[in-house]
Amino acid sequence: MTSDDRWGSVSADQDASGDADADELAQLLAMAGGADDSGSGPGGGALADALSQGVTTGPTDDRPGHEPDDAEALAALRAVETELDQRWPETRIAPSLERIRALVEVLGDPQRSYPAIHVAGTNGKSSVTRMIDALLTRIGPRTGRYTSPHLQRVTERIAIDGAPISARRYVEIYQEIAPFLGIVDRAQGEGPKLSKFEVLTGMAFAAFADAPVDVAVLEVGLGGSWDATNVADAVVAAITPIDIDHVNYLGPELGGIAAEKAGVIKQGAVALMAEQSPEAAKVLLERAVAMDAEVARSGMEFGVLGREVAVGGQQLRLQGLGGEYDDVYLPLFGEHQAKNAALALASVEAFFGAGASRKLDIAAVRDAFASVRVPGRLERLRSAPTVVVDAAHNPHGARAAAAAVREEFSFRRLVGVVAVMGDKDAEGILAALEPVLDEVVVTAVSSPRAMDADELGSLAVGFFGADRVVVETRMDAALETAIGLAEETDDPETPVAGAGVLVVGSVVAAGEARTLLGREPS
């Protein structure tokens, strides 16, 4: 297979004459920042070599680290997780890059062996990250994807070739870096040791370097400037909509939150901005100017030109940096996901250096978006009655989910199952959901951070009234009760298929519902 055969038909940005070859693609990488022998710059040395030599870097049938998980591997995974859980959890943070920098330094700076695309913002990060990963995978580069938090199993966080690594590979990576964790911990003296999230980030960087991948797509865990992922100098930064969340660490002011998230925009990078409030946009643009970064904004340089509800998702017409992309099917619901798709598309275009006269291959783009799966984001898990789960965990996310349900589903009756973490704006979430729910079953998830079900129930009564609120202490009971309520009708001839259940309020709630309804981690 020649390089033209491999790349020209599925990924090449084409010039005005319609020509496209591996040499031109390598030049595009250089235009976007250069790719030298050290692997720095968009595309990196490994990808530039692949483009020029015709190396197949995409997924293969033989993918080490993706073997099925057996009982022994899962037991070893639980043992590693028990050990990691002795460290500071992700909800306890000492803002600093000192510890993660020390870790990656002793690991040999694996994050510098491939270029990266960084995704920050308040909501939509995981969706955009998965969309970018799907686009890159269909175009050809071998990808590493790092997301957080997970829904069901921690291995979901580290993906290679678009699929989570196996439990066995996760354990191997941990064992490989474990000796270095003690070195870094001891160097901290009386200060905080490496947190669990910092260790997981180091594991992801090491796994990607070992694979090796051609590009990493990194989702920020919390914030931006001092998030552990920010030791990677990403060549492209995608910023999803910014809103109020994590006020205990980021503060209650939108400008301050935006300043923290803007920290992922690095010197000379390309910054892609979703639609933002004026306050947040001003902060992001100031950071971009200070970093001499190129900027493209949703609604201006890229965006959604049209969308229609379709079976199982929506049909889109997108404006990219390189031109229009029509007839794009996205198997996800909601206007917010259409906007996420436009941001992901522009991010990949920016990575490859697409511009006014160059665009990604439309067949590859269509194939990529049609393949996107984002578990726990308005995901349908059951029919008759329909059960949909969404990981929205703040008012902004809940409003987006409610709008999508109102516009794209036709429920004759919708019952909510709501579980919220104790440090979240439960009242804001309930207020956003009330207009679309006929009744609500409030519950608690199996997390020490979970808000007590009775406490959440008291808050819910203030929005729904006592006759529309049921309290269950466990998710399994809450699901059973909600399904029963959804099936109730005064007319026995009314079809059950018109009823629905929406599980929402936290990532953990979405994960527990997926497990109870028999879905595998993905």
Side-chain angles (χ1 to χ4, degrees):
M1 180 181 290
T2 67
S3 58
D4 284 348
D5 291 335
R6 171 63 181 134
W7 297 96
S9 62
V10 296
S11 65
D13 298 349
Q14 298 182 346
D15 59 26
S17 66
D19 296 327
D21 58 29
D23 289 337
E24 288 181 330
L25 285 166
Q27 290 169 9
L28 286 179
L29 299 176
M31 288 166 55
D36 56 29
D37 292 338
S38 66
S40 62
L47 182 52
D49 289 344
L51 293 171
S52 63
Q53 298 173 20
V55 176
T56 300
T57 59
T60 63
D61 293 332
D62 182 16
R63 300 185 297 177
H66 293 286
E67 65 271 9
D69 294 325
D70 56 26
E72 181 182 358
L74 291 175
L77 175 65
R78 287 192 294 271
V80 167
E81 283 300 281
T82 298
E83 189 169 331
L84 283 172
D85 285 341
Q86 304 307 307
R87 295 180 174 275
W88 274 14
E90 292 163 280
T91 54
R92 185 179 179 188
I93 299 169
S96 171
L97 292 181
E98 178 185 351
R99 296 174 300 278
I100 185 64
R101 279 179 177 152
L103 177 58
V104 294
E105 182 177 356
V106 297
L107 293 177
D109 282 319
Q111 81 284 2
R112 299 191 185 281
S113 63
Y114 39 78
I117 298 175
H118 215 161
V119 183
T122 300
N123 290 307
K125 297 192 299 293
S126 289
S127 295
V128 171
T129 300
R130 283 177 174 260
M131 290 176 188
I132 291 173
D133 188 21
L135 281 163
L136 289 169
T137 298
R138 290 307 183 279
I139 289 171
R142 190 175 202 200
T143 62
R145 184 183 74 222
Y146 182 53
T147 56
S148 62
H150 59 278
L151 287 175
Q152 294 166 272
R153 188 177 298 164
V154 69
T155 51
E156 300 167 26
R157 299 186 181 214
I158 304 174
I160 295 173
D161 295 329
I165 61 173
S166 66
R168 189 176 305 280
R169 181 63 186 136
Y170 183 93
V171 172
E172 289 173 352
I173 298 165
Y174 176 74
Q175 291 172 339
E176 288 167 3
I177 76 165
F180 300 100
L181 304 181
I183 295 173
V184 176
D185 285 342
R186 288 189 293 273
Q188 301 309 305
E190 297 300 316
K193 312 305 182 189
L194 285 161
S195 69
K196 181 176 181 178
F197 183 73
E198 288 166 336
V199 174
L200 293 179
T201 303
M203 289 172 60
F205 288 150
F208 298 158
D210 188 60
V213 304
D214 299 312
V215 54
V217 190
L218 309 173
E219 178 188 351
V220 167
L222 192 156
S225 293
W226 41 258
D227 186 77
T229 61
N230 207 32
V231 294
D233 290 324
V235 296
V236 173
I239 314 295
T240 69
I242 294 173
D243 211 298
I244 306 296
D245 199 9
H246 300 293
V247 294
N248 50 334
Y249 288 108
L250 302 179
E253 302 296 329
L254 200 57
I257 294 172
E260 177 58 37
K261 296 180 185 294
V264 301
I265 302 174
K266 300 297 180 63
Q267 187 69 38
V270 182
L272 292 307
M273 294 169 43
E275 293 177 9
Q276 306 287 350
S277 69
E279 186 178 359
K282 179 176 182 292
V283 173
L284 294 173
L285 290 171
E286 287 174 347
R287 169 70 179 185
V289 170
M291 293 292 101
D292 195 26
E294 295 186 48
V295 175
R297 294 153 292 181
S298 179
M300 300 185 75
E301 289 79 14
F302 67 91
V304 181
L305 297 176
R307 58 181 293 266
E308 295 180 359
V309 176
V311 176
Q314 52 192 309
Q315 205 76 19
L316 306 177
R317 184 162 62 94
L318 303 176
Q319 175 65 51
L321 303 179
E324 290 188 17
Y325 298 80
D326 62 0
D327 199 23
V328 176
Y329 175 69
L330 180 69
L332 300 172
F333 298 99
E335 182 182 12
H336 60 294
Q337 292 291 18
K339 292 179 178 179
N340 286 340
L343 178 60
L345 174 64
S347 299
V348 174
E349 287 183 304
F351 180 79
F352 283 110
S357 63
R358 296 176 183 269
K359 59 188 293 189
L360 303 178
D361 180 74
I362 184 62
V365 171
R366 288 170 178 162
D367 183 41
F369 278 120
S371 74
V372 168
R373 299 292 181 269
V374 186
R377 272 68 178 182
L378 287 177
E379 180 185 18
R380 190 193 303 264
L381 298 182
R382 169 188 160 145
S383 299
T386 298
V387 177
V388 176
V389 300
D390 194 86
H393 54 274
N394 54 44
H396 182 270
R399 287 192 295 271
V405 167
R406 184 187 301 109
E407 296 168 4
E408 300 181 29
F409 293 83
S410 298
F411 293 118
R412 64 167 177 79
R413 178 180 178 82
L414 181 62
V415 179
V417 173
V418 180
V420 180
M421 293 301 172
D423 58 348
K424 296 296 182 178
D425 182 0
E427 292 182 316
I429 293 171
L430 291 167
L433 296 172
E434 189 278 331
V436 300
L437 299 180
D438 294 287
E439 292 180 88
V440 62
V441 181
V442 298
T443 188
V445 292
S446 55
S447 167
R449 294 173 49 226
M451 177 175 285
D452 178 76
D454 289 327
E455 180 183 355
L456 183 58
S458 296
L459 293 176
V461 168
F463 292 93
F464 290 82
D467 59 334
R468 295 169 62 198
V469 178
V470 178
V471 177
E472 295 284 3
T473 58
R474 293 164 50 98
M475 176 60 74
D476 54 354
L479 270 175
E480 183 177 354
T481 297
I483 290 171
L485 289 171
E487 292 175 336
E488 284 184 0
T489 175
D490 294 331
D491 181 0
E493 300 301 317
T494 301
V496 174
V501 173
L502 174 65
V503 183
V504 67
S506 74
V507 175
V508 178
E512 288 191 3
R514 287 190 101 249
T515 299
L516 288 167
L517 293 172
R519 294 301 176 96
E520 289 295 315
S522 61

